[in-house]
Amino acid sequence: MQMKLLTVVAAVAFAFAGTAAQAQSTMGAKPSVDRAQKKADRDKIEADYKAAKAQCSHMQGNEKEVCEADAKGKENVAKAELENKYEPSQAHSRKVDEAKAEHQYKVTKEKCDRNKGKEESACEKEAKAKYEKDKADIKAKYASNERRSATGSTK
């Protein structure tokens, strides 16, 4: 009777040990990347860009340049978001924020070309100042996150 009890206890202990080891080994692993889905997402981004750029083809002058800058910026943002989706990290999150800031800057700068002379110059300076502020904010945001993770603090 004691032998049966000892065998049952040993079997339960091994079962728990195996489950704990399996859970521990999968916790640190990166999620498996579905290559087919990632390629499909990448192809969709490319198709969306081509469609957006095709809509610009009937436009002329500055309107066309703004449209093309917007299409290219959206493509770059989508690519950065795709990388962050499949390989989440601080670096990829930062690239998403940077791509968004750059997209906004380039579109705004193209829109400034509608103006002439001093108005155009003032508009471009304002766009550049906002872009530089956005970049500084991004840098500060991720520098503080890096400091927190380096020190182990969650505050």
Side-chain angles (χ1 to χ4, degrees), residues 62-83:
N62 183 257
E63 184 182 17
K64 183 175 183 173
E65 291 172 0
V66 170
C67 181
E68 288 175 348
D70 186 47
K72 187 64 178 171
K74 286 179 180 176
E75 178 193 30
N76 290 339
V77 169
K79 285 180 178 179
E81 288 174 338
L82 180 70
E83 285 303 312

Side-chain angles (χ1 to χ4, degrees), residues 119-134:
E119 291 175 358
E120 179 182 9
S121 179
C123 180
E124 287 180 354
K125 284 181 183 177
E126 187 178 326
K128 181 74 171 177
K130 182 172 181 347
Y131 177 59
E132 293 298 327
K133 182 188 177 307
D134 289 347

Side-chain angles (χ1 to χ4, degrees), residues 1 9 26 34 40 50 55 65 74-75 80 89 97 106 122 134 137 140 149:
M1 177 77 172
V9 170
T26 58
D34 183 357
K50 287 179 181 177
Q55 288 188 345
E65 291 172 0
K74 286 179 180 176
E75 178 193 30
S89 69
D97 290 344
K106 287 184 176 182
D134 289 347
D137 290 347
S149 64

